[in-house]
Amino acid sequence: MKKILVTGATGQLGSELKVLSRTYSQFEWIFADRTKVSLDDLEVLQNQLEAIHPNIILNCGAYTAVDKAETEQELADIVNHLAVVLIAQYAKDNSAKLIHISTDYVFDGTSSVALTEEAKTQPVNVYGASKRAGELACLEANPDAIIIRTSWVYSSFGNNFVKTMQRLMQERQSISVVNDQIGSPTYAADLAQAMMTIVTAPEWIPGIYNYSNEGEISWYEFALAIKEIGGYTCEVNGIPSSAYPTPAKRPAFSLLDKSKIKRVYGVSVPDYTESLKKCFELLT
């Protein structure tokens, strides 16, 4: 029985993989939070990997506090870059398969067309730079690895935009949401399924892949969809990013082209509204 190690097990994606693991009982699953796999302590991490000795690693753990990363650059680099090098090297040395999760924040947001895996990367914040460094180091250490870039992740687990909007729309009469950042949300349950489609595929084809749900929307339009599905009466106003300054700059456009993952692995990509409704059923 092959052993799958999931890092970041208590995060949104890790939690969805835990639910999905019931469907894939042919594997032995190890769900590791930061106490079991220490992405911020490289010496400890090496020993932990050797003790677990997985056949497959799904690296969902990351430093994801985008604004905080601006002042915690060293920690972001350790978790999102240096730990990834170590995991990738371990996977190579032990003939383990590795899927590493990355982000749309590796792009600068100046594109006007959906971004392919070959599109130029140029992060505009520390978080994005640390994730891009992790991508490059991962593939250099282990060319057999798979990297999946995703965007705007939400789930019935953890803290995310959907749950925040739900709460605010029930608490307030009106809210403001930025309307000039364009992309597509990702339901973590769908991404978890895409990962397992790859793991169980007859052929392992390494490289970078994009995955998010279908649809090209702004955060404002995402909020409107949440309002409609939830039946909330709260007024939602669109505002420019300049009216909502944050320590870290966000890419203005980060829509991902999913044609490669659909073509190579036959992964199905639901429309964002379809997946949002599924998530709502679990939240209400």
Side-chain angles (χ1 to χ4, degrees), residues 78-91 133-134 136-138 141-142:
I78 289 170
V79 175
N80 293 343
H81 169 210
L82 301 181
V84 177
V85 180
L86 198 151
I87 291 169
Q89 190 63 55
Y90 174 88
L136 290 167
C138 177
N142 187 352

Side-chain angles (χ1 to χ4, degrees), residues 184-185 212-216 255-256 258 262 269-273:
S184 187
S212 67
N213 287 123
E214 298 288 13
E216 179 179 340
L255 182 68
L256 300 172
K258 279 80 69 173
K262 289 190 275 191
V269 183
D271 186 81
Y272 84 93
T273 53

Side-chain angles (χ1 to χ4, degrees), residues 254-274:
S254 59
L255 182 68
L256 300 172
D257 183 310
K258 279 80 69 173
S259 54
K260 182 180 176 183
I261 201 167
K262 289 190 275 191
R263 183 183 73 251
V264 175
Y265 279 109
V267 167
S268 66
V269 183
D271 186 81
Y272 84 93
T273 53
E274 183 187 324

